[in-house]
Amino acid sequence: ISQSMADKYFPEEDAIGQTVILDNKQGEAFKISGIMADFPTNSHIRYNFLITLSEVEFWPGEQRFWAATNYPTYVRLHPDTNVKELEQKLMEISHKYRVPNMKKYGIAEADEILTKVSFELQPIRDIHLHSADIDDDLTHGDIRIVWLFGTIAVFILIIACINFINLSTAKSAIRAKEVGLRKVVGSYKRQLVQQFLTESVVYSMLSFLIGVLIAGMLLPYFNQLSGKALAFPWTHPQLWLVLLGASLLMGVIAGLYPAFYLSAFQPIQALKDQTNRISNTTNIQSALVVVQFTISIALIIGTYIVHEQMGYIFNKKLGFEKEQVVILNSTHTLGDKIGTFKKELLTLPEVSAATVSGSLPVRGTIRNYNQIWKEGGKEEGGSVSAQIWKVDHDYVKALGLNIVAGRDFNVDLPTDSQAMIINQTLAKELGLIDAVGQRVANHEDVKQIIGVVDDFHFESMKEEIVGLGLIIGNESALMSVKVNSQDMAGFIQHATGIWKNFAPHQSLRYSFLDESFAAMYEDVQTTKHIVRNFAILAVIVACLGLYALSSFTTEQRRKEIGIRKILGASVNSIFRLLTQRFLVLVSLAILIAGPVSWYVMQKWLQDFEYRIDIGWRVFALSGLLSIFITLLTVGFQTLRAATDNPVKALGRE
């Protein structure tokens, strides 16, 4: 067992040698032989205890059946092992044993199938972040998400650097005399470049220091948002070396152009205040503003599309009812009393239906792939792979599945023990036009189809619906209860009272089907929230720069504005004059961000078998929002300049 488990259950005694009993139907007893250190938080392995599989089978023949793939397999290799050669040997073993096994169960094309299969050994250090496409029922990170958020963070840094460049060049007139005086007293251009670069690096280092402090304070919020347990490695020298290097790099990148631009002033022109070179940098400033808003608009579009996809997932008709369904866990521990427990629950006025099964249309419940074929069609190679779930007679009713042909299970018909209800996908894959009454085989077991249900989503919408058959069986790990009352707390209280009569020493554990369904998309929800926050931050940073730039631009054109007003220009015409440049730049950014974000988000949506179509509306709304933000940002400064007294503007030195 783990150290934390030992501390919890054996706080004052030695755990070694103690006996523990598993909370399952069999109630297997195990003796504790050792205590292991808790797994680190960045590990994909999360176990409280380990038991041996040596001479242990959870169903007859499990350890000798070549099609059983129930466990992740870890192999320790000798240091001098050639990994590629070992992978090839694994393929040879697979062909030697799996092909005959597959053909035995009617898969005639087994040789062709295995030519498309390969074994790839993965170092254990890579599993946590590089196994997003591996389904082992363990919690993994995703390196793609790390790269995504890292890239967005770099883009926001670029926006901040652009702000520094634009503001430094916009304020060039203020520092022109300083440059002129320094050159007159003998300063070289190289010295001026060093001075301005030093200033930029100092600003960058101070910003990084403040940023690290803010990040440290906001880390608990980020952990709550992302569902992670990240911590700052304050004592690691690598952290401070990386931060120092990054601050120096950002300082140089942001300060390089302004340093060479400011140091190029001629001293005579600078001292005569004839260095109004802002017009010379207009093109560069414009390009940088376009880059800023392209990034910001792309993030806005991305946030909108992720939000729409999540809305599609949660509003799509799933084919089953997930609302008001309570899942009672570990009901198999009741043994043969589970039927009586179910009957007593059904006497509660707030309960409309209840069903017992180990399989539910949410992740983390039992899945069981099997080969199935039409009776007599095995020799023809007509088998298909499908899920076979063992349920009770009330499963279809309790989960609200829609029967489109045939009938539901009937507890009064003993023959239904050899019956099967299939979904439309399985009927199609088996080529059954009129499925009801047909007979299908699974291994040596033959079932008669009595009903067909509408396809329903029992996996994530990242996966296509596959064939499914429901049969009457004895899987009893979970009981799903359909509650017809909004007083869920009252039902839980009543259910707990009944449970105590059957298992007085065991607490009732429960969850909600809709919450379990939502948990399947927790990573997408997290992505949505983080991208949204990134988008807001990027827009704020870009708007701060745009506001400051518009202020300097307006200040430089005050005399021009005063003359225009004296000559009869209206407030509206001056407002358009001062804002049209920024609107053109933002419009150009919209045109660039649209195709880029469409391509990126199309790639992201490809992870989902069931997804939205990206329409024109998202780009139109994002564009209008960006234009509105731009007008809001520059509008105050330009409106004040347009309504200012022209005499004051012309009389100002």
Side-chain angles (χ1 to χ4, degrees):
I1 64 174
S2 66
Q3 183 65 59
S4 59
M5 191 173 182
D7 294 340
K8 179 178 180 181
Y9 292 102
F10 305 97
E12 299 179 355
E13 54 185 319
D14 187 5
I16 304 297
Q18 298 286 344
T19 299
V20 294
I21 300 175
L22 290 188
D23 181 14
N24 61 9
K25 184 177 181 180
Q26 290 75 24
E28 293 102 331
F30 292 89
K31 184 172 290 187
I32 299 174
S33 61
I35 299 175
M36 60 184 177
D38 292 333
F39 291 101
T41 57
N42 62 341
S43 172
H44 72 288
I45 301 176
R46 291 285 189 276
Y47 298 132
N48 289 322
F49 60 89
L50 303 175
I51 61 175
T52 181
L53 283 177
S54 178
E55 300 180 0
V56 174
E57 290 188 338
F58 288 98
W59 48 270
E62 179 193 32
Q63 300 295 338
R64 302 181 301 278
F65 186 54
W66 280 95
T69 54
N70 298 328
Y71 312 105
T73 304
Y74 299 87
V75 183
R76 180 180 290 276
L77 306 182
H78 292 295
D80 57 347
T81 300
N82 186 312
V83 175
K84 292 299 179 183
E85 289 183 3
L86 178 57
E87 291 173 349
Q88 183 59 38
K89 290 178 180 178
L90 291 174
M91 282 303 304
E92 293 171 2
I93 293 174
S94 181
H95 280 279
K96 181 178 180 180
Y97 294 102
R98 290 190 66 197
V99 169
N101 183 83
M102 294 169 71
K103 289 182 177 180
K104 177 182 178 182
Y105 292 104
I107 308 177
E109 63 277 14
D111 292 291
E112 181 183 351
I113 291 174
L114 286 187
T115 59
K116 302 175 183 178
V117 175
S118 63
F119 285 101
E120 180 180 345
L121 297 176
Q122 183 182 39
I124 196 168
R125 64 177 178 273
D126 295 340
I127 293 176
H128 181 59
L129 288 177
H130 298 273
S131 302
D133 58 341
I134 297 177
D135 185 13
D136 57 5
D137 292 327
L138 301 177
T139 301
H140 298 289
D142 191 342
I143 191 63
R144 296 173 300 176
I145 301 298
V146 176
W147 280 111
L148 171 65
F149 293 154
T151 302
I152 294 175
V154 169
F155 281 147
I156 293 176
L157 274 177
I158 291 173
I159 293 175
C161 290
I162 289 172
N163 280 351
F164 186 85
I165 294 170
N166 277 340
L167 296 181
S168 297
T169 54
K171 294 193 299 180
S172 59
I174 299 175
R175 305 201 67 173
K177 290 186 178 181
E178 175 192 346
V179 173
L181 286 172
R182 286 183 176 275
K183 284 192 171 184
V184 167
V185 298
S187 294
Y188 293 104
K189 182 178 180 179
R190 174 176 53 82
Q191 295 172 314
L192 293 171
V193 169
Q194 290 176 347
Q195 175 197 341
F196 293 129
L197 276 178
T198 301
E199 291 178 3
S200 175
V201 168
V202 169
Y203 284 135
S204 177
M205 294 181 72
L206 288 174
S207 299
F208 264 81
L209 180 60
I210 296 171
V212 169
L213 294 175
I214 294 174
M217 291 187 292
L218 294 180
L219 187 59
Y221 166 74
F222 180 82
N223 284 339
Q224 181 181 4
L225 184 68
S226 63
K228 305 296 182 183
L230 303 180
F232 266 106
W234 299 110
T235 58
H236 287 207
Q238 295 94 326
L239 171 67
W240 301 105
L241 289 174
V242 169
L243 291 176
L244 178 61
S247 62
L248 290 173
L249 179 63
M250 289 298 104
V252 171
I253 291 175
L256 202 59
Y257 175 76
F260 280 97
Y261 173 75
L262 292 171
S263 63
F265 287 145
Q266 297 299 318
I268 296 177
Q269 292 178 333
L271 293 173
K272 288 183 177 180
D273 200 19
Q274 296 177 355
T275 60
N276 187 14
R277 293 159 50 98
I278 292 180
S279 58
N280 298 334
T281 63
T282 299
N283 291 337
I284 295 176
Q285 288 178 346
S286 299
L288 294 177
V289 169
V290 170
V291 172
Q292 281 185 312
F293 273 87
T294 298
I295 296 171
S296 301
I297 294 167
L299 287 173
I300 291 173
I301 293 172
T303 302
Y304 185 91
I305 291 174
V306 174
H307 176 78
E308 288 291 293
Q309 176 64 18
M310 288 306 300
Y312 172 80
I313 289 172
F314 286 108
N315 294 318
K316 186 180 186 299
K317 293 183 67 175
L318 301 173
F320 68 94
E321 297 176 6
K322 67 179 188 298
E323 309 297 335
Q324 298 292 109
V325 176
V326 180
I327 305 172
L328 306 182
N329 300 304
S330 300
T331 50
H332 56 284
T333 59
L334 298 179
D336 55 6
K337 299 178 182 177
I338 191 170
T340 308
F341 173 70
K342 176 183 171 182
K343 288 180 181 179
E344 292 203 22
L345 279 181
L346 289 171
T347 62
L348 297 176
E350 57 263 50
V351 174
S352 59
T355 184
V356 178
S357 173
S359 303
L360 288 173
V362 289
R363 186 176 297 159
T365 58
I366 294 175
R367 295 292 181 265
N368 186 19
Y369 269 108
N370 281 263
Q371 292 301 126
I372 190 169
W373 53 86
K374 290 186 290 186
E375 187 179 27
K378 178 181 176 182
E379 292 76 12
E380 302 172 6
S383 69
V384 298
S385 181
Q387 285 282 325
I388 305 297
W389 291 1
K390 295 179 180 179
V391 301
D392 71 0
H393 294 80
D394 298 316
Y395 192 87
V396 172
K397 175 185 176 183
L399 292 184
L401 305 184
N402 181 36
I403 295 181
V404 295
R407 63 175 177 85
D408 193 0
F409 293 116
N410 189 334
V411 71
D412 296 323
L413 295 177
T415 55
D416 276 4
S417 62
Q418 294 300 311
M420 178 182 287
I421 296 176
I422 65 174
N423 67 353
Q424 292 172 313
T425 294
L426 184 54
K428 182 179 179 181
E429 290 177 345
L430 290 171
L432 302 176
I433 298 176
D434 186 7
V436 177
Q438 301 276 358
R439 293 169 65 84
V440 294
N442 167 236
H443 303 316
E444 303 303 325
D445 196 9
V446 178
K447 302 285 186 183
Q448 184 176 33
I449 299 172
I450 63 170
V452 180
V453 295
D454 258 332
D455 283 338
F456 63 97
H457 292 275
F458 54 85
E459 299 292 0
S460 164
M461 288 192 191
K462 292 182 178 181
E463 302 172 34
E464 190 176 7
I465 295 175
V466 299
L468 171 68
L470 305 176
I471 61 175
I472 300 298
N474 58 357
E475 292 288 357
S476 55
L478 304 169
M479 181 179 292
S480 303
V481 183
K482 180 69 175 177
V483 180
N484 56 20
S485 170
Q486 295 298 322
D487 184 15
M488 197 62 70
F491 163 72
I492 296 298
Q493 183 178 1
H494 294 154
T496 300
I498 296 175
W499 176 266
K500 286 298 182 184
N501 294 331
F502 291 86
H505 303 296
Q506 182 181 349
S507 61
L508 177 66
R509 292 178 292 161
Y510 62 90
S511 58
F512 299 96
L513 186 58
D514 55 350
E515 292 180 356
S516 299
F517 176 80
M520 293 197 298
Y521 304 97
E522 188 175 0
D523 58 334
V524 186
Q525 287 276 35
T526 299
T527 300
K528 182 185 80 170
H529 294 317
I530 295 178
V531 171
R532 179 195 62 196
N533 290 347
F534 270 134
I536 293 172
L537 178 60
V539 169
I540 291 174
V541 174
C543 288
L544 286 173
L546 189 63
Y547 178 82
L549 186 59
S550 66
S551 299
F552 282 112
T553 303
T554 302
E555 185 66 29
Q556 291 293 324
R557 302 183 69 174
R558 280 196 179 276
K559 289 189 177 182
E560 175 192 346
I561 295 169
I563 293 172
R564 287 178 178 273
K565 292 190 69 174
I566 288 174
L567 293 177
S570 65
V571 172
N572 288 338
S573 64
I574 293 175
F575 182 81
R576 287 196 303 271
L577 174 70
L578 296 175
T579 58
Q580 64 183 4
R581 174 196 171 198
F582 298 109
L583 290 177
V584 169
L585 297 179
V586 172
S587 299
L588 181 59
I590 294 170
L591 293 176
I592 298 173
V596 172
S597 55
W598 178 87
Y599 176 79
V600 173
M601 296 312 296
Q602 278 289 106
K603 289 288 186 181
W604 180 76
L605 285 171
Q606 285 177 4
D607 284 345
F608 296 87
E609 284 291 334
Y610 304 91
R611 54 185 179 263
I612 62 171
D613 294 321
I614 302 177
W616 61 269
R617 187 177 63 174
V618 58
F619 303 104
L621 292 176
S622 300
L624 290 173
L625 178 61
S626 303
I627 290 173
F628 173 75
I629 291 172
T630 302
L631 288 174
L632 198 64
T633 302
V634 304
F636 175 75
Q637 289 291 336
T638 54
L639 191 61
R640 188 177 69 175
T643 57
D644 202 5
N645 189 335
V647 176
K648 292 182 180 179
L650 293 174
R652 184 176 302 173
E653 292 294 333

